[in-house]
């Protein structure tokens, strides 16, 4: 893995994370750093899934791979947002 491939993964992960975040309606309670991390992970996993489905290397733009990555990023952002949500406590009646 070269420096340029690491920088490329960070840039692509940032784009994927932001697009995934835009898919989720409402406000998310996670920062931009978490968005980038989720995007990088989604890009890597999405590329592996696309390679397994044999849709990762097509002529032109790999739309299916991008959709898989963005969908995974949206799921990741939503899951992380839900995990960071403040817990509501139930009041017990006596």
């Amino acid at each position: 893995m070269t420096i340029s491939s690491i920088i490329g993964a960070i840039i692509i992960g940032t784009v994927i994370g932001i697009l995934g975040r835009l898919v989720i309606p409402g406000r998310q309670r996670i920062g931009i750093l978490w968005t980038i991390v989720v995007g990088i992970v989604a890009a890597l996993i999405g590329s592996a899934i696309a390679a397994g489905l044999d849709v990762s290397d097509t002529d032109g733009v790999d739309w299916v791979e991008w959709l898989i990555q963005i969908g995974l990023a949206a799921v990741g952002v939503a899951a992380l947002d839900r995990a960071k949500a403040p817990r509501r406590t139930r009041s017990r009646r006596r």
Side-chain angles (χ1 to χ4, degrees):
M1 190 172 252
T2 64
I3 296 295
S4 62
S5 64
I6 293 171
I7 292 171
I10 292 170
I11 292 170
I12 290 171
T14 301
V15 171
I16 294 294
I18 291 170
L19 290 174
R21 190 173 180 152
L22 290 174
V23 171
I24 304 295
R27 182 177 185 270
Q28 293 83 35
R29 293 173 290 271
I30 64 171
I32 190 69
L33 188 59
W34 280 113
T35 302
I36 293 169
V37 170
V38 168
I40 291 170
V41 171
L44 293 172
I45 294 172
S47 293
I49 292 172
L53 296 174
D54 199 28
V55 294
S56 64
D57 192 23
T58 60
D59 294 335
V61 179
D62 298 325
W63 293 109
V64 175
E65 183 176 10
W66 273 81
L67 290 175
I68 292 169
Q69 292 170 338
I70 293 168
L72 288 172
V75 168
V77 166
L80 191 58
D81 180 51
R82 185 162 170 84
K84 288 187 165 268
R87 303 281 182 209
R88 293 183 187 169
T89 58
R90 290 184 178 172
S91 63
R92 294 184 181 181
R93 294 184 182 187
R94 293 184 185 189

